[in-house]
Amino acid sequence: MLAEISAIFLLLRISDAATPEVLSCLRLEKSPLESPHSRVVHVEEDRPAYLHCSVPENTNHMVAWSRASDAALLIAGTETFTSDSRFQISIREADYVLIIRQSLPKDSGCYLCEVNTEPDSIIVPVYLNVSRKEPIVPQLMPKKPGKLLANMHGNEVVLNCTFSLDGGGGDEEVHWQKDDKIIDLNNTQKYVWKVKREAGILVHEVVIRGASDADDGEYACVRGRQKATQIVHVNLKAEAQTSRSFERRLTQAISFVSLGFLFV
Ligand SMILES: *[C@@H]1O[C@H](CO)[C@@H](O)[C@H](O)[C@H]1NC(C)=O
Ligand SMILES: *[C@@H]1O[C@H](CO)[C@@H](O)[C@H](O)[C@H]1NC(C)=O
Ligand SMILES: *[C@@H]1O[C@H](CO)[C@@H](O)[C@H](O)[C@H]1NC(C)=O
């Protein structure tokens, strides 16, 4: 009864994964014994795969593991016949376990365990299916927004806008806005700007010279669909402070409300 149930279960399991490739592998079986182990092993890329092969107990049979695709002998007894050190054998009682440490999608396929019983060898096929690791869905994540930081240096406000170059936007130009109006960076009396590209990052820097409360507002740097904003408030009262705390207080006076976001 139990054997029947497990046979049905095994059939279900096999038909579950019954691609022609898997079936043609499992048909290579030549064994009088019902294997207690699954003949189809699913494992995720980089995980170890364990392929089991039980041999009749208390006998001294030679067990060999080979790969069906190229008929390469991998293991015979306890000897390894492949230069790929990911392949190992672990013998636990009557179970000869072929271990593939860090399995790769290319390892998918049919593996054969051969036991040299007399008069005919036992052949236990195991189909290994290594699925690719789920990518960290970069295309489904919102594209990286930019980041806009403001700092005070003397009487200048330094706006530092960083875009990741893989965050979309292609070769699109960066432009700057203050309160949703385009800033005329051609006005070099008021603004100095520079661009730096380094290791996948685009840094745009704009210096507002002679900052005053007229420069308060919400600043934004925009590149394609990426946009980063920062509210800047220049507190002129801070200028009256002693020189020691002058810069610190001015810096504090700038509100760091980082509102980096993406609009579609
Ligand atoms: C391997 O497994 C995946 C999903 O787990 C399945 O889509 C694919 O068909 C399987 N490949 C084979 C050859 O069975
Ligand atoms: C701008 O900010 C980035 C990181 O946010 C930093 O690596 C870079 O040095 C800054 N550049 C300037 C000119 O402050
Ligand atoms: C700045 O000058 C360039 C060329 O001199 C011009 O194409 C551009 O439109 C100007 N920018 C603004 C914001 O006026």
Side-chain angles (χ1 to χ4, degrees):
M1 181 60 182
L2 261 183
E4 264 171 51
I5 290 173
S6 70
I8 291 167
F9 181 65
L10 191 72
L11 273 178
L12 281 176
R13 277 196 62 96
I14 288 170
S15 62
D16 245 8
T19 67
E21 206 184 335
V22 174
L23 286 178
S24 70
C25 175
L26 301 182
R27 271 191 218 112
L28 298 173
E29 175 161 351
K30 280 186 204 154
S31 172
L33 305 165
E34 185 62 64
S35 167
H37 300 292
S38 171
R39 297 289 165 80
V40 181
V41 174
H42 286 271
V43 69
E44 194 184 62
E45 182 175 1
D46 276 348
R47 311 293 305 170
Y50 301 93
L51 279 54
H52 293 269
C53 178
S54 296
V55 303
E57 271 182 79
N58 303 321
T59 50
N60 221 353
H61 297 299
M62 176 66 126
V63 175
W65 273 103
S66 62
R67 184 166 52 214
S69 61
D70 58 354
L73 178 64
L74 303 169
I75 310 270
T78 53
E79 294 257 352
T80 310
F81 285 84
T82 168
S83 55
D84 189 336
S85 60
R86 296 177 305 125
F87 289 84
Q88 292 174 347
I89 187 83
S90 163
I91 303 164
R92 296 171 200 157
E93 290 166 22
D95 189 10
Y96 281 66
V97 190
L98 174 65
I99 303 173
I100 308 175
R101 293 187 288 120
Q102 290 189 297
S103 41
L104 301 170
K106 71 168 172 109
D107 297 325
S108 294
C110 191
Y111 291 81
L112 300 174
C113 170
E114 190 168 353
V115 188
N116 73 336
T117 44
E118 292 295 336
D120 300 310
S121 337
I122 291 174
I123 294 177
V124 178
V126 178
Y127 189 89
L128 173 65
N129 186 342
V130 183
S131 54
R132 287 190 184 281
K133 221 190 260 176
E134 288 297 319
I136 307 162
V137 285
Q139 67 275 44
L140 296 179
M141 302 265 283
K143 286 173 181 164
K144 286 177 195 148
K147 194 169 84 181
L148 179 53
L149 299 173
N151 266 295
M152 203 79 199
H153 287 295
N155 65 345
E156 295 178 342
V157 173
V158 180
L159 297 167
N160 178 347
C161 178
T162 326
F163 285 118
S164 148
L165 287 173
D166 65 4
D171 285 330
E172 283 165 279
E173 293 281 309
V174 172
H175 72 263
W176 288 76
Q177 297 171 350
K178 182 191 173 212
D179 299 324
D180 293 322
K181 288 189 207 68
I182 289 185
I183 299 176
D184 182 5
L185 294 176
N186 293 339
N187 177 358
T188 51
Q189 300 285 303
K190 188 69 192 163
Y191 303 108
V192 182
W193 64 281
K194 63 183 182 210
V195 189
K196 207 167 60 181
R197 271 169 201 268
E198 51 183 16
I201 288 180
L202 182 67
V203 184
H204 260 245
E205 191 189 73
V206 167
V207 176
I208 305 171
R209 307 168 80 176
S212 71
D213 56 5
D215 297 308
D216 285 356
E218 187 192 56
Y219 287 79
C221 51
V222 183
R223 175 174 173 263
R225 300 193 307 165
Q226 292 174 288
K227 181 182 188 180
T229 63
Q230 180 73 257
I231 291 169
V232 172
H233 172 62
V234 181
N235 186 350
L236 286 172
K237 282 190 199 124
E239 280 173 12
Q241 303 297 328
T242 61
S243 61
R244 198 163 54 87
S245 60
F246 173 77
E247 199 166 308
R248 184 170 56 84
R249 281 170 191 269
L250 260 185
T251 306
Q252 284 170 347
I254 298 172
S255 316
F256 295 104
V257 185
S258 188
L259 296 168
F261 68 96
L262 170 83
F263 63 101
V264 183

